[in-house]
């Protein structure tokens, strides 16, 4: 099976596109000019149910929808596309709209970029003590693009917004110097778009350096959902699996962090075989997904997804709340509804499946889990807790926010009990302890 990509330039050649109305095709063109759009033959032929368009979850997951842009922005782009303005002018108009869509939520771009020997590790992010994120330069694309993606600026060629790195060597030095680091998390885009050879070029230096503090290599990837042939039929599938085994044999835990948004993505024979092949290398597969309207805002979906994951040998890990970027309004599920969906699904799964944690917001101060809604001294509150925090002291204290049925993100919340600040507000600007740590570690937070 060879991968065939479709994007704005050729999607009208997809045979199934005949099932769409002219209005839907026009919407793909308009929205696809602003947000990333790329699909492949596997997603089209095996995952999308074309008799259920436009409601099909996978169709919503990969095909741009009209309502993903505000009415105003949609009209601006539509008008620009239908006029005879120059390409540059068109690009300027589109980029202006992109910048309005909060391309780097939670300070993704400038925060947490470490430095070593006076050189910025531009493809590395170090926010939580134990784990560094690594964005290999060749892994900054995906086998298809999700319409909700918060990494979208990387795919649309606004160069200054990209994270990337060819600097494995510096990464190795950095891990050596910072012995609190136990995990390297390869992310992207999708690192599994790389050939076995390329991936090996990034992994080998880490293995050869014999770093005693490095316990886990994680690879964050959507490839099991979008291109499972990577682990079954591709010409370097065997080499990929051998590389995984090599990591495991070296005594390092390999955790494949699989992004699955819907049970359909686990339904084909080829994905089941791919999962089996990965597990046979000794790697483990953990799963995570955001919760999104039009795609998976239903407890049955989550219950089935988690149960099926465990049945196939995977470990449910995180349920995320969709970030405040891109088409968030279209996909946003309120905090209250996310919690209700999480709880309804959670009630129907055994303890083995309850390794999942959520609903969680990956925000600037850390990953914040919504634990529940409660009434304390007559005040209705959200109970929250840090799962990861920029300041690890915050992990110790659950905290409360005023109940707000419309809240969709941490920024919408106000402290409960008439308090002025959350603990993390008071520390929003770097504390003295952090400053000391920064000087010691030579980590620079912009
Ligand atoms: C989510 C995240 C991690 C990994 O966190 P875990 O809780 O260990 O999975 C690491 N760094 C950043 C910046 C993150 O957002
Ligand atoms: S696979 Fe991940 S990085 Fe790629 S488009 Fe989807 S959410 Fe974004």
């Amino acid at each position: 099976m060879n991968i065939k990509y479709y994007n704005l330039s050729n999607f009208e050649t997809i045979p199934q596109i005949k099932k769409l109305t002219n209005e839907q095709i026009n919407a793909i063109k308009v929205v696809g000019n602003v947000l990333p759009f790329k699909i492949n033959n596997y997603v089209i032929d095996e995952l999308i149910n074309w008799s259920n368009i436009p409601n099909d979850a996978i169709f919503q997951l990969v095909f741009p929808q009209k309502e993903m842009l505000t009415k105003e922005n949609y009209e601006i782009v539509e008008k620009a596309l239908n006029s005879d303005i120059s390409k540059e002018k068109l690009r300027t108009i589109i980029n202006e709209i992109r910048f309005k869509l909060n391309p780097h939520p939670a300070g993704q771009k400038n925060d947490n970029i470490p430095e070593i020997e006076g050189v910025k590790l531009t493809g590395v992010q170090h926010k939580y003590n134990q784990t560094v994120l690594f964005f290999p330069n060749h892994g900054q694309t995906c086998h298809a693009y999700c319409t909700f993606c918060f990494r979208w600026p990387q795919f649309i060629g606004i160069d200054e917004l990209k994270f990337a790195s060819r600097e494995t060597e510096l990464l190795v030095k950095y891990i050596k110097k910072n012995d609190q680091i136990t995990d390297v998390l390869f992310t992207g885009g999708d690192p599994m778009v790389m050939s076995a050879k390329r991936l090996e070029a990034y992994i080998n230096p880490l293995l050869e350096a014999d770093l005693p503090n490095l316990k886990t290599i994680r690879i964050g990837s959507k490839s099991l959902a979008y291109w499972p042939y990577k682990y079954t039929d591709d010409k370097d599938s065997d080499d990929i699996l051998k590389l995984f085994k090599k990591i495991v044999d070296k005594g390092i835990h390999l955790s494949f962090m699989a992004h699955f948004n819907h049970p359909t993505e686990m339904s084909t024979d080829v994905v089941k075989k791919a999962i089996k092949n990965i597990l046979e290398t000794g790697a483990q597969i953990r799963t995570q997904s955001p919760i999104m309207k039009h795609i998976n805002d239903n407890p049955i979906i989550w219950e089935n997804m988690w149960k099926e994951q465990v049945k196939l040998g995977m470990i449910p890990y995180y349920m995320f709340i969709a970030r405040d970027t891109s088409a968030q309004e279209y996909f946003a599920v309120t905090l209250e509804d996310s919690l209700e969906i999480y709880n309804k699904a959670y009630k129907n799964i055994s303890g083995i499946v309850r390794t999942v944690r959520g609903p969680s917001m990956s925000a600037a101060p850390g990953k914040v889990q919504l634990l529940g809604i409660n009434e304390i001294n007559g005040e209705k509150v959200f109970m929250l807790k840090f799962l990861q925090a920029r300041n690890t002291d915050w992990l110790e204290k659950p905290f409360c926010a005023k109940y707000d049925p419309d809240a969709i993100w941490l920024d919408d919340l106000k402290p409960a009990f008439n308090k002025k600040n959350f603990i993390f507000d008071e520390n929003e600007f770097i504390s003295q302890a952090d400053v000391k740590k920064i000087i010691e570690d030579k980590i620079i937070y912009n």
Side-chain angles (χ1 to χ4, degrees), residues 354-396:
R354 288 184 185 164
T355 48
V356 71
R357 289 170 300 164
S360 163
M361 289 169 272
S362 211
K367 284 187 169 68
V368 178
Q369 182 182 17
L370 178 56
L371 294 172
I373 297 172
N374 212 342
E375 206 174 295
I376 296 176
N377 291 339
E379 185 173 337
K380 197 168 178 186
V381 295
F382 285 131
M383 320 264 301
L384 302 136
K385 187 178 191 300
F386 278 100
L387 294 169
Q388 289 288 0
R390 254 189 7 218
N391 176 342
T392 47
D393 293 344
W394 305 341
L395 291 169
E396 295 167 13

Side-chain angles (χ1 to χ4, degrees), residues 409-420:
W409 195 249
L410 192 64
D411 300 350
D412 301 330
L413 298 178
K414 306 249 169 341
F417 316 124
N418 292 320
K419 286 211 174 132
K420 267 216 171 73

Side-chain angles (χ1 to χ4, degrees), residues 234-251:
D234 277 3
K235 62 178 186 308
D236 65 351
S237 291
D238 285 344
D239 293 335
I240 292 279
L241 296 169
K242 266 187 214 143
L243 178 60
F244 285 5
K245 190 160 184 302
K246 185 170 160 190
I247 297 171
V248 174
D249 289 346
K250 180 87 190 173

Side-chain angles (χ1 to χ4, degrees), residues 28-225:
I28 293 170
K29 287 182 193 161
V30 174
V31 181
N33 263 287
V34 181
L35 297 172
F37 173 44
K38 174 166 124 184
I39 43 180
N40 68 56
N41 46 335
Y42 171 74
V43 177
I44 293 164
D45 295 334
E46 307 288 332
L47 299 186
I48 294 175
N49 174 1
W50 289 93
S51 58
N52 186 28
I53 301 300
N55 296 328
D56 179 68
I58 310 295
F59 181 75
Q60 293 280 333
L61 175 64
V62 292
F63 275 93
Q65 310 291 321
K66 187 170 183 177
E67 297 79 12
M68 286 175 193
L69 293 183
T70 62
K71 198 160 173 288
E72 188 198 350
N73 285 342
Y74 188 94
E75 278 165 12
I76 293 171
V77 180
E78 187 177 40
K79 200 168 135 225
L81 286 173
N82 292 330
S83 67
D84 48 12
I85 54 171
S86 69
K87 274 213 160 108
E88 287 82 70
K89 186 90 210 306
L90 180 66
R91 196 174 310 138
T92 308
I93 291 172
I94 287 171
N95 277 345
E96 266 169 26
I97 289 175
R98 287 170 172 169
F99 276 103
K100 278 195 271 180
L101 297 174
N102 192 18
H104 279 284
Q108 264 194 92
K109 188 189 170 205
N110 289 321
D111 290 356
N112 318 311
I113 298 175
E115 206 184 69
I116 189 158
E117 294 170 2
V119 185
K120 272 204 163 196
L121 279 71
T122 48
V124 176
Q125 248 187 309
H126 189 197
K127 180 168 177 180
Y128 307 129
N129 285 343
Q130 295 82 6
T131 306
V132 283
L133 302 190
F134 184 51
F135 298 77
N137 201 22
H138 292 107
Q140 299 310 307
T141 180
C142 305
H143 291 103
Y145 290 149
C146 311
T147 41
F148 63 81
C149 181
F150 72 88
R151 295 266 160 79
W152 60 275
Q154 287 159 228
F155 312 138
I156 52 180
I158 311 183
D159 278 341
E160 67 222 72
L161 297 183
K162 284 190 198 176
F163 298 104
S165 172
R166 243 176 241 150
E167 298 159 322
T168 327
E169 219 178 283
L170 284 175
L171 176 69
V172 166
K173 274 191 190 165
Y174 185 72
I175 298 171
K176 224 177 238 170
K177 264 206 155 139
N178 293 275
D179 59 8
Q180 79 277 24
I181 295 171
T182 55
D183 290 36
V184 175
L185 170 47
F186 282 76
T187 182
D190 191 332
M192 295 314 300
V193 295
M194 287 190 277
S195 65
K197 252 205 176 111
R198 280 234 159 105
L199 187 60
E200 195 161 17
Y202 285 107
I203 301 261
N204 272 347
L206 281 172
L207 300 184
E208 283 157 12
D210 278 317
L211 301 159
N213 48 318
L214 181 65
K215 311 288 185 219
T216 300
I217 292 176
R218 303 192 219 176
I219 301 175
S221 176
K222 178 92 187 157
S223 54
L224 278 171

